[in-house]
Amino acid sequence: MALDRWIALVILMICLAYGYAAFFTMDAGLAPFMKRNPIWPSTFPKILSVLAVLTALSILLGLEKGAADPKPMDINYRRLTDYKLGQALALLGLMVAYALLLRPLGFLLSTLGFLSVGAVILGERRFHILLPVAAAAAGIVWYLVQVVLGIFLSPWPVFLTNGG
């Protein structure tokens, strides 16, 4: 069996367990007045699980394949060493570092660092353009989340906001 079908089988098993939880266990603790609502808290998980099971089944049964030959732009898992795995792994590590540094460094510094280092990993070398754009993006996103949506997002590092 091909790699995509093995992955689809694993995803199918996960989605079946998720669907079981959505259909049979999530609604058991609902308050009586909520049972009369047309949309329950489990409605979206039910829809999501059904769509995911159908998608995984279509991959598992090979319904999505139109031609037998791989196209030149398709990823060939037998030639993974030909791709830029170093960049991909570096970006994954950078994402983990961003998640871990978000609270200690604050949103603005950690986002500026993430965007800047990520762009350098991907090959950007014009720092006079990269840094202002990354700073503006971090500032705009912080403003939208903090002011427009009203969700508190600490912009500065912990040692500046908590007094040490």
Side-chain angles (χ1 to χ4, degrees):
M1 189 167 14
L3 179 64
D4 59 344
R5 291 187 179 176
W6 279 109
I7 294 171
L9 182 65
V10 171
I11 291 174
L12 177 66
M13 295 299 132
I14 292 169
C15 292
L16 286 173
Y18 183 68
Y20 176 80
F23 277 96
F24 298 110
T25 63
M26 289 179 96
D27 298 331
L30 280 179
F33 70 91
M34 288 187 73
K35 291 185 179 182
R36 294 190 192 115
N37 290 341
I39 296 176
W40 292 1
S42 66
T43 301
F44 183 69
K46 287 176 182 176
I47 294 169
L48 186 64
S49 66
V50 168
L51 291 176
V53 165
L54 291 176
T55 304
L57 279 174
S58 71
I59 294 171
L60 193 60
L61 298 174
L63 300 177
E64 90 287 356
K65 297 194 183 221
D69 297 331
K71 298 175 187 146
M73 295 301 292
D74 288 345
I75 294 176
N76 187 353
Y77 68 91
R78 292 184 180 140
R79 296 179 26 179
L80 280 179
T81 57
D82 294 345
Y83 301 113
K84 297 183 179 185
L85 287 179
Q87 282 183 342
L89 294 175
L91 285 174
L92 286 172
L94 184 62
M95 289 178 201
V96 171
Y98 175 70
L100 293 174
L101 293 173
L102 193 57
R103 283 194 181 197
L105 289 182
F107 180 79
L108 292 177
L109 287 176
S110 60
T111 304
L112 175 68
F114 174 75
L115 293 175
S116 301
V117 174
V120 169
I121 289 172
L122 292 175
E124 181 60 47
R125 297 295 181 252
R126 295 177 290 180
F127 296 110
H128 65 283
I129 295 173
L130 171 65
L131 293 176
V133 169
I140 289 170
V141 169
W142 176 82
Y143 177 80
L144 289 173
V145 170
Q146 177 78 25
V147 177
V148 175
L149 293 177
I151 300 170
F152 176 71
L153 192 58
S154 178
W156 305 116
V158 170
F159 65 87
L160 291 177
T161 57
N162 291 342

